[in-house]
Amino acid sequence: MQRPEAWPRPHPGEGAAAAQAGGPTPPAGAGEPSGLRLQEPSLYTIKAVFILDNDGRRLLAKEQMVFEKNVFNKTSRTESEIAFFGGMTIVYKSSIDLFLYVVGSSHENELMLMSVLTCLFESLSHMLRKNVEKRWLLENMDGAFLVLDEIVDGGVILESDPQQVIQKVNFRADDSSLTEQSVTQVLQSAKEQIKWSLLK
């Protein structure tokens, strides 16, 4: 007996786009009013993480530049920590001459996004010896990539405890079994992953 095919599930946030593009939409459940479907939980919580300077220029990112510029224009002159833009929920924090952003879909829990942002900021603060500013970030970009790689991977939150992130980053960098070449490979792998996420 052949099993019926499971209905293809779009990546979170793509259901509306598929419907607009004329693609198939999943059938409504029995007794469920059309248009009222609960979002299925997903591990792919984070849509983007990026750090801009106080002129809106990219320093570290997992997103597209046009989106970043629009987000910067909307958030750089406000005091709040949460914004809604382009169907996305954005949490952000400024520090001296940096703006740190974490972006999720419109239905994501702001507290979860904020925990990622807090982890990113505190991890960078520890790594940069409390100098979370452009000059120090640029001088320690490889470490910043490692920090980001330990927190989020492909939109999935891996860690939200800054102490754990720092411990893992230090282990990866200080492990005596790691040669200079293998550290370079780890960094290159993190950069390649970010590059591919930008091309999606």
Side-chain angles (χ1 to χ4, degrees):
M1 183 171 133
Q2 189 177 0
R3 273 180 49 183
E5 233 178 85
W7 189 265
R9 295 181 184 150
H11 192 274
E14 291 178 358
Q20 289 173 352
T25 55
E32 181 181 330
S34 62
L36 294 178
R37 295 201 61 184
L38 291 176
Q39 284 285 342
E40 291 186 26
S42 171
L43 291 175
Y44 300 98
T45 304
I46 307 300
K47 300 292 185 190
V49 176
F50 53 96
I51 300 176
L52 308 178
D53 67 10
N54 57 353
D55 295 320
R57 286 190 299 262
R58 168 193 294 203
L59 299 176
L60 181 78
K62 286 191 176 184
E63 191 38 94
Q64 298 172 356
M65 287 189 177
V66 173
F67 179 75
E68 293 165 13
K69 194 67 175 171
N70 289 335
V71 168
F72 177 77
N73 290 337
K74 181 177 176 74
T75 60
S76 63
R77 295 176 195 88
T78 64
E79 294 298 319
S80 65
E81 296 177 325
I82 299 175
F84 300 95
F85 179 78
M88 301 287 180
T89 302
I90 302 160
V91 295
Y92 58 98
K93 181 178 187 65
S94 64
S95 173
I96 305 174
D97 55 357
L98 297 177
F99 287 85
L100 293 81
Y101 297 90
V102 173
V103 182
S105 63
S106 58
H107 64 273
E108 285 305 338
N109 184 322
E110 293 93 352
L111 294 177
M112 187 181 301
L113 299 177
M114 191 59 80
S115 72
V116 173
L117 178 65
T118 301
C119 181
L120 175 63
F121 180 80
E122 290 181 8
S123 300
L124 290 175
S125 180
H126 184 276
M127 185 187 77
L128 301 174
R129 295 175 176 82
K130 302 197 184 301
N131 296 312
V132 185
E133 56 185 291
K134 181 178 177 179
R135 175 181 154 218
W136 296 103
L137 181 69
L138 290 175
E139 288 181 9
N140 296 280
M141 195 59 83
D142 287 346
F145 274 112
L146 286 175
V147 164
L148 184 56
D149 196 38
E150 289 295 337
I151 298 172
V152 177
D153 183 21
V156 178
I157 300 171
L158 300 177
E159 186 61 68
S160 61
D161 179 0
Q163 293 303 319
Q164 291 294 319
V165 170
I166 293 301
Q167 188 175 3
K168 290 176 184 176
V169 167
N170 287 340
F171 177 76
R172 286 170 75 172
D174 296 339
D175 187 355
S176 58
S177 66
L178 286 178
T179 64
E180 184 76 27
Q181 183 179 5
S182 61
V183 170
T184 305
Q185 289 170 343
V186 168
L187 293 172
Q188 187 59 35
S189 171
K191 290 177 183 176
E192 283 293 314
Q193 193 171 18
I194 289 172
K195 181 181 83 173
W196 282 111
S197 71
L198 293 172
L199 296 175
K200 287 181 182 177

